[in-house]
């Protein structure tokens, strides 16, 4: 069975940094595009960053220049380096896998989801 497990969330002050990790199992990881999504209470789940099987990345405008997505196809892991965090970055962050070969920040493109890890940024 496919399993995606996020870790690395926490509470930080505005301007701080966090690195989120996602461990994938039960799928041929290198064949999947991967993404990070986030959802604040009462809001829609939105795409944050994605990376294709070939390593091409896409970022939401709100995080460009601050966040970096990267993957390790040997260890079957995905990471999101988040710098210069802002209170508006506060959300539950989810790792997702898509059986597509292109980049997507659309929820419907993704087949599997992790349970989420909470990120809270205080002002």
């Amino acid at each position: 069975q496919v399993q995606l497990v996020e870790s690395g969330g926490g509470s930080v002050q505005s301007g701080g940094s966090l690195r989120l990790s996602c461990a994938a199992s039960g799928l041929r990881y290198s064949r999947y595009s991967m993404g990070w999504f986030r959802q604040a209470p009462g809001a829609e789940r939105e795409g944050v960053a994605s990376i294709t099987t070939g390593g091409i990345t896409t970022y939401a405008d709100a995080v460009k220049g601050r966040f970096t997505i990267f993957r390790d196809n040997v260890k079957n892991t995905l990471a999101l380096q988040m710098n210069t965090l802002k209170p508006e970055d506060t959300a539950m962050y989810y790792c997702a896998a898509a059986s597509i070969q292109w980049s997507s920040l659309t929820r419907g493109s993704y087949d599997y989801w992790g349970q989420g890890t909470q990120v809270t940024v205080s002002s």
Side-chain angles (χ1 to χ4, degrees), residues 79-96:
L80 183 69
Q81 178 65 45
M82 305 186 294
N83 297 326
T84 320
L85 283 161
K86 305 174 181 180
E88 51 262 46
D89 295 318
T90 296
M92 185 73 74
Y93 282 72
Y94 298 89
C95 171

Side-chain angles (χ1 to χ4, degrees), residues 37 45 97-100 104-113:
F37 290 75
R45 188 171 299 188
S99 58
I100 57 176
S104 176
L105 294 179
T106 302
R107 295 189 304 276
S109 296
Y110 290 82
D111 304 296
Y112 305 106
W113 296 83

Side-chain angles (χ1 to χ4, degrees), residues 47-69:
V48 175
S50 65
I51 184 167
T52 69
T53 57
I56 305 300
T57 58
T58 302
Y59 297 93
D61 288 342
V63 307
K64 285 181 179 177
R66 299 188 298 119
F67 291 11
T68 303
I69 186 172

